[in-house]
Amino acid sequence: MDQHTISLFVNNKPGVLLRVALIFSRRAFNIESLVVSSAMDGKYSRMTITASGDSKTLEEIIKQANNLVDVIHAGEHIESESIEKELAFIKMKINATNRTEILQIVDNFKSETVDLTHESLIIQVTGKTDKLDAMIELLSHYEVIEIVRTGKVVMARGDLNT
Amino acid sequence: MSKKSLTGAEVLIKCLENKGVEYIFGYPGGAAIPIFDALYDSKIKLILTRHEQGATHMADGYARTTGKPGVVLVTSGPGATNTVTGILTSRMDSVPMIVLTGQTTTPNLGKDAFQEADVFGITAPIVKHSYLVKDQNEIATIVEESFEICNTGRPGPVVIDLPKDITSADTVMPEKITIDLPGFKKTPKANHSDIEHLAKTLKGAKKPLIVVGQGVVISRAATAIQKLAEKLNAPVTSTLLGKGGFPETHDLSVGMLGMHGTAYANRCVEHCDLIFSIGSRWDDRIRPGNAEEFCPNAKKCHIDIDPAEVNRIIKVDASVVGDAKEIVERLVPLVEPLETKEWLETVNKWKKKFPLSYKIQGGLKAQHVIEKIYELSKGNAIVTADVGQHQMWAAQFYRTAKPNRWLNSGGAGTMGFGFPAAIGAQLAEPKECVIAIVGDGGFQMTLCELSTAMLHKLPIKILIIDNKYLGMVRQWQSLFYEERLSGVDLEGNPDFVKLGESYGIKGFRIKRAADIEKVLSKALAYNEGPCIIHAEVVKEDNVFPMIPAGKSAADMIINPPKKALEKPEGST
């Protein structure tokens, strides 16, 4: 099953998220990440959704999303034609012995320490999903307290519209 | 000078009047009182139903007959939830409908107030679009948008949820209404190169088959289709909802295809080298569960107004997105007659070899009664059917020659649809003969509307095919579940003639084949109000031909089998 990134340009109105989510849920299709925020013109919003599944079903989902009155347009993103980024906060339990090691990882991943106490540390990391996955994997050998990820945002490259 | 102040409800009703609404099918309740109050002074006629489900099917029947949106008005909470089945029914069959629901006041929303239900949420999966109105000044625009949405492109239901404080609040009728629907895709004008490609794909077919669906009826493409079929010399079959999209009385017609379609239509599906759907979405009643097994050796063409339907189920060789009538009219000059002489001979051989048949002996047969009412009404009636065995027999034996005269719940298969839909149809066409062919099961789900039909003296002929069973499920249990009849015996049915009498409704009985003509003639001549024709048919009869669910046309069972059958894998 492939992972797909779908971007939707929708009316900024109550209930729109419900309608979009229903297209996924009626097929028992799980939404893995979802980012919604106001577009440049506040009348509209942008949604970026990542989901795993077969391409045929996904194509059907996109067509049905396009049929919604509240969806101006919906489409799938091809990785080579778009830039994408995700942000995560990772809260670690630390002690005097492992602090330096962890900070080295933070450094290697070009991430930042945004909160630091004697017992805990919050890391802020941005990048592509696989970079975040790799860092989280490394950190999981220490004591991770919690992780919050934003989900992916994408924008089409060059002249293409997102 | 300031404009005259009106309530939100008054603006709502005025807008509906301006849209040419003749009837509202409804049932009041606390949250809807302001709207019913505004209706008091309106020229729109209120048809007070006896249940909200009935209101939706009446609006649906009205819409299917006229092509205009049916309008429903109910109250909040249970009033609104009772419309859900009717909303689904119209959604599945692409019927334009506007459902106005009262709602608790806006400060009460989300507080589990009396008769509060999240109608926006409950109906979201089954509407074409919906509104929860938060500002009385938006009512006029929302009504305008709703009419545009529900009946443009692929039609469907729109729900407008109206909190009581909004319909009671003061507002004015705007001078000009501008709608703003940036995401609403209007019917695209069909792409010319797609039509050319379609014409090219049709070329050379020796064994073509045209399938007409509901889209043909909606788009009023029947005349254009006839021209196309006659020019191509191609046989035409119709789906259950496509009946009337091509005259079933025409030589090129092979009747309905699918699970209980004619044997010759399904033979055509099995043997054709090109299948061309116009306004049908390759629904699972007309194809095997595994869509790849569907006509594997035939080219496939598709015209549909909904881009989401193209290549959704069946991968096609040529497709055009747009309005069926427009496309077929543009297609006709581009096609050449096909060499189909041999094919048509074969088809006619099948017609003779496998006609629709039943045995007249051994008790009163539903097929016999339906065939006779077809003959005696000269095939001219508007016919509604409910859901089940009687529906399939009606589809087989009441041949439909014109569109908008065969009303059925196809996609949803809603029991209880047939009778109220006939009320909507009769109101739309007061001079036409309207026949509701219903089963004893489905009729009892909405029979409270006998009051409604009686009150308006609607001369509907309610033909009850009573076998005292839920016959279609019983048929499956008999054929595939070793006769383990479970939950299908309708013991306790009323005497339907006496039931009618208590409403003041005229009743007729048919118990023997010998009485069919005499009784039906009398019933068809009775026009002072509704009448019930209670046909007590044999208890255990099965609908054939039958393609077991999930199987393909080649697996069709034409005659009653002698031995037990394998359980089909298909859904239902």
Side-chain angles (χ1 to χ4, degrees):
Chain A
M1 290 219 284
D2 312 327
Q3 207 185 50
H4 302 268
T5 308
I6 306 143
S7 133
L8 301 101
F9 191 59
V10 301
N11 281 330
N12 187 359
K13 276 185 186 168
V16 179
L17 180 58
L18 169 70
R19 295 186 213 273
V20 172
L22 282 169
I23 298 178
F24 288 83
S25 67
R26 75 178 289 198
R27 296 178 166 79
F29 226 79
N30 189 36
I31 290 176
E32 278 151 21
S33 85
L34 166 71
V35 184
V36 188
S37 58
S38 180
M40 199 159 78
D41 178 346
K43 260 177 76 184
Y44 305 110
S45 300
R46 279 212 184 275
M47 288 186 189
T48 311
I49 296 175
T50 55
S52 293
D54 63 283
S55 308
K56 173 115 179 51
T57 309
L58 207 88
E59 190 190 321
E60 212 178 289
I61 287 177
I62 291 172
K63 279 183 173 176
Q64 287 194 343
N66 269 313
N67 268 356
L68 292 174
V69 173
D70 279 327
V71 172
I72 319 301
H73 64 77
E76 191 181 352
H77 271 282
I78 303 161
E79 215 185 316
S80 60
E81 289 174 2
S82 49
I83 51 161
E84 54 175 71
K85 208 132 255 176
E86 191 180 348
L87 180 146
F89 290 135
I90 305 160
K91 191 187 281 179
M92 309 284 303
K93 195 170 164 99
I94 52 167
N95 52 45
T97 45
N98 64 17
R99 177 164 46 193
T100 323
E101 270 178 59
I102 291 172
L103 285 173
Q104 255 171 12
I105 295 174
V106 170
D107 211 34
N108 278 324
F109 277 86
K110 296 196 174 66
S111 51
E112 282 175 60
T113 307
V114 287
D115 185 64
L116 184 63
T117 68
H118 286 294
E119 287 89 31
S120 77
L121 164 74
I122 298 177
I123 302 162
Q124 174 191 303
V125 55
T126 57
K128 283 200 170 186
T129 301
D130 46 6
K131 172 184 164 185
L132 269 59
D133 289 345
M135 183 175 189
I136 288 165
E137 202 282 316
L138 266 181
L139 291 173
S140 68
H141 298 283
Y142 305 90
E143 205 171 336
V144 178
I145 300 168
E146 54 185 10
I147 300 174
V148 177
R149 294 172 75 150
T150 57
K152 206 192 277 185
V153 290
V154 293
M155 182 175 264
R157 287 180 187 275
D159 297 339
L160 299 168
N161 285 322
T162 304
Chain B
M1 203 180 83
S2 70
K3 285 195 67 173
K4 192 180 158 231
S5 171
L6 299 170
T7 66
E10 285 165 340
V11 167
L12 171 73
I13 296 300
K14 210 154 230 44
C15 291
L16 296 175
E17 286 174 355
N18 293 346
K19 297 310 288 181
V21 173
E22 286 177 280
Y23 293 106
I24 288 180
F25 303 91
Y27 204 99
I33 294 176
I35 310 173
F36 277 83
D37 183 65
L39 205 48
Y40 186 84
D41 295 317
S42 171
K43 60 180 180 191
I44 298 175
K45 286 172 241 104
L46 170 70
I47 304 296
L48 175 65
T49 65
R50 293 301 179 267
H51 189 284
E52 291 88 350
Q53 184 186 348
T56 57
H57 298 327
M58 286 177 209
D60 182 313
Y62 175 88
R64 289 185 206 235
T65 309
T66 59
K68 292 191 274 184
V71 182
V72 175
L73 169 59
V74 298
T75 193
S76 62
T81 57
N82 278 345
T83 65
V84 168
T85 304
I87 296 171
L88 175 74
T89 306
S90 69
R91 171 69 174 189
M92 291 289 260
D93 292 348
S94 309
V95 177
M97 187 190 285
I98 289 177
V99 181
L100 308 162
T101 54
Q103 180 56 283
T104 188
T105 57
T106 42
N108 262 339
L109 286 174
K111 295 197 171 57
D112 288 342
F114 177 64
Q115 290 192 332
E116 183 193 356
D118 174 9
V119 174
F120 185 93
I122 288 169
T123 60
I126 54 170
V127 294
K128 187 169 177 192
H129 196 56
S130 50
Y131 297 89
L132 168 53
V133 186
K134 297 282 289 286
D135 179 354
Q136 60 275 16
N137 299 317
E138 286 177 2
I139 290 175
T141 312
I142 286 172
V143 172
E144 192 69 25
E145 288 181 356
S146 300
F147 273 82
E148 174 76 11
I149 291 166
C150 81
N151 212 10
T152 309
R154 181 177 182 170
V158 174
V159 168
I160 310 177
D161 200 22
L162 294 145
K164 193 177 183 179
D165 53 333
I166 300 296
T167 51
S168 308
D170 286 339
T171 179
V172 291
M173 186 74 187
E175 262 163 41
K176 194 163 162 271
I177 302 166
T178 40
I179 63 173
D180 180 25
L181 294 170
F184 183 57
K185 289 95 193 165
K186 294 209 170 194
T187 310
K189 191 169 157 55
N191 193 323
H192 193 66
S193 61
D194 288 348
I195 301 181
E196 279 176 334
H197 176 61
L198 174 61
K200 216 178 270 172
T201 310
L202 295 173
K203 218 180 233 175
K206 296 217 157 37
K207 297 189 281 178
L209 177 66
I210 297 174
V211 181
V212 299
Q214 169 84 327
V216 168
V217 176
I218 297 167
S219 126
R220 300 180 182 271
T223 313
I225 302 265
Q226 191 169 333
K227 273 190 200 138
L228 177 72
E230 286 170 356
K231 188 165 182 193
L232 289 173
N233 302 313
V236 182
T237 181
S238 66
T239 64
L240 176 73
L241 294 184
K243 264 170 71 79
F246 183 79
E248 289 186 289
T249 43
H250 194 288
D251 280 347
L252 288 171
S253 171
V254 290
M256 181 174 81
L257 81 164
M259 186 176 270
H260 292 296
T262 66
Y264 34 96
N266 287 328
R267 278 276 189 276
C268 288
V269 172
E270 191 188 341
H271 294 279
C272 65
D273 65 357
L274 180 138
I275 188 161
F276 178 13
S277 156
I278 308 178
S280 146
R281 58 187 170 91
W282 314 103
D283 154 272
D284 64 11
R285 307 288 86 179
I286 65 165
R287 53 137 177 113
N290 179 0
E292 279 168 22
E293 289 166 16
F294 181 72
C295 304
N297 301 316
K299 282 188 187 166
K300 296 167 190 88
C301 303
H302 192 185
I303 294 175
D304 207 296
I305 202 161
D306 183 352
E309 292 296 349
V310 176
N311 291 324
R312 179 192 189 188
I313 288 162
I314 300 289
K315 188 112 183 61
V316 295
D317 300 279
S319 62
V320 188
V321 173
D323 175 68
K325 180 165 181 267
E326 182 218 320
I327 295 167
V328 175
E329 279 173 355
R330 286 168 62 191
L331 178 66
V332 172
L334 303 180
V335 299
E336 304 281 339
L338 299 172
E339 280 299 323
T340 58
K341 198 164 160 274
E342 262 177 59
W343 173 234
L344 290 175
E345 277 169 18
T346 312
V347 173
N348 286 329
K349 231 176 272 167
W350 288 332
K351 280 191 187 178
K352 287 203 187 80
K353 195 169 171 198
F354 310 111
L356 286 167
S357 67
Y358 56 91
K359 286 206 176 73
I360 290 182
Q361 303 86 347
L364 184 67
K365 294 293 170 68
Q367 301 94 311
H368 196 185
V369 179
I370 293 166
E371 192 164 38
K372 283 291 166 202
I373 207 165
Y374 169 70
E375 287 167 13
L376 293 167
S377 63
K378 300 185 178 66
N380 280 330
I382 296 176
V383 178
T384 74
D386 215 83
V387 171
Q389 284 188 316
H390 73 277
Q391 176 193 29
M392 293 298 109
W393 283 320
Q396 294 175 341
F397 291 96
Y398 204 106
R399 290 190 283 167
T400 313
K402 287 190 229 152
N404 306 95
R405 302 179 81 81
W406 166 255
L407 321 183
N408 261 246
S409 166
T414 302
M415 285 177 71
F417 171 84
F419 170 49
I423 295 178
Q426 187 77 78
L427 286 164
E429 295 287 357
K431 294 205 172 77
E432 300 282 340
C433 172
V434 176
I435 303 171
I437 303 178
V438 297
D440 47 321
F443 180 59
Q444 291 187 74
M445 289 191 175
T446 47
L447 64 73
C448 54
E449 306 305 341
L450 283 170
S451 300
T452 318
M454 186 56 201
L455 199 64
H456 298 279
K457 298 210 165 19
L458 303 174
I460 301 164
K461 282 74 184 160
I462 308 160
L463 173 58
I464 305 171
I465 302 294
D466 180 8
N467 59 2
K468 296 170 181 64
Y469 263 134
L470 293 171
M472 192 55 98
V473 179
R474 203 266 316 136
Q475 171 167 347
W476 275 59
Q477 291 174 345
S478 297
L479 293 177
F480 307 115
Y481 290 80
E482 296 112 29
E483 291 278 353
R484 289 158 58 89
L485 304 191
S486 177
V488 291
D489 192 342
L490 289 188
E491 197 185 336
N493 272 353
D495 176 329
F496 289 106
V497 170
K498 279 194 185 154
L499 177 80
E501 260 168 36
S502 69
Y503 287 90
I505 287 174
K506 179 91 176 158
F508 299 92
R509 277 182 212 280
I510 308 176
K511 287 193 162 180
R512 304 177 308 154
D515 296 338
I516 299 178
E517 280 207 44
K518 196 177 59 190
V519 176
L520 286 182
S521 302
K522 270 194 217 159
L524 287 168
Y526 180 79
N527 280 316
E528 279 133 70
C531 70
I532 283 176
I533 311 158
H534 185 190
E536 291 185 63
V537 300
V538 291
K539 285 193 75 171
E540 298 190 3
D541 196 2
N542 295 332
V543 185
F544 291 104
M546 176 180 195
I547 300 174
K551 300 264 181 142
S552 61
D555 305 307
M556 173 172 54
I557 307 161
I558 300 179
N559 296 306
K562 302 234 159 41
K563 54 179 182 38
L565 300 170
E566 239 178 88
K567 239 175 249 179
E569 297 150 13
S571 58
T572 43

